[in-house]
């Protein structure tokens, strides 16, 4: 649960990038498949250049190693007109983002 809260906070910051007129964005695509406690899938795309997809699956159910493994991608156009893409994994190993705009370790 703590990992999910961290993931949501990081993605909220990423989505907070200012856009010219985000209030006028239209939903172009929306898919949602909640498969219960075993995981979920969703994806959306908006007219202002934002798209996001995420999949989650429950790993090792019923064991002490039970963990939700989440994989996703979000793309947005920043105020400077550059398109950014953030790929991420969030699982028992923590939040693992990757993107060309992120510093390399």
């Amino acid at each position: 649960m703590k990992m999910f809260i961290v993931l949501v906070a990081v993605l909220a910051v990423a989505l907070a990038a200012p856009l010219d007129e985000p209030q006028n964005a239209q939903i172009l695509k929306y898919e949602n498949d909640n498969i219960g406690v075993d995981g979920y899938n969703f994806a959306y795309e908006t007219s202002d250049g934002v798209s996001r997809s995420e999949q989650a699956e429950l790993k090792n159910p019923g064991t002490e190693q039970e963990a939700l493994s989440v994989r996703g991608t979000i793309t947005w156009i920043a105020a400077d007109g550059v398109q950014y893409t953030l790929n991420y994994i969030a699982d028992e190993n923590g939040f693992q983002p990757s993107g060309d705009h992120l510093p390399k370790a």
Side-chain angles (χ1 to χ4, degrees):
M1 184 64 175
K2 182 169 66 171
M3 187 63 56
F4 181 74
I5 293 170
V6 170
L7 174 65
V8 170
V10 169
L11 291 176
V13 169
L15 286 174
L19 299 171
D20 289 338
E21 296 186 41
Q23 68 272 16
N24 295 327
Q26 302 295 312
I27 297 171
L28 303 176
K29 172 184 158 185
Y30 177 76
E31 299 172 3
N32 184 21
D33 183 21
N34 183 349
I35 53 177
V37 296
D38 293 331
Y40 61 85
N41 297 300
F42 73 82
Y44 65 82
E45 182 179 338
T46 61
S47 61
D48 61 354
V50 174
S51 64
R52 181 173 170 201
S53 64
E54 186 172 292
Q55 307 81 37
E57 72 173 305
L58 186 62
K59 295 168 85 177
N60 305 311
T63 70
E64 290 200 17
Q65 292 79 32
E66 181 176 284
L68 192 62
S69 177
V70 179
R71 293 180 178 272
T73 299
I74 184 165
T75 301
W76 71 96
I77 299 173
D80 59 4
V82 175
Q83 182 177 13
Y84 293 94
T85 298
L86 176 71
N87 299 302
Y88 58 89
I89 299 171
D91 59 15
E92 66 275 6
N93 299 312
F95 181 69
Q96 305 150 58
S98 66
D100 292 339
H101 63 287
L102 297 177
K104 306 293 186 241

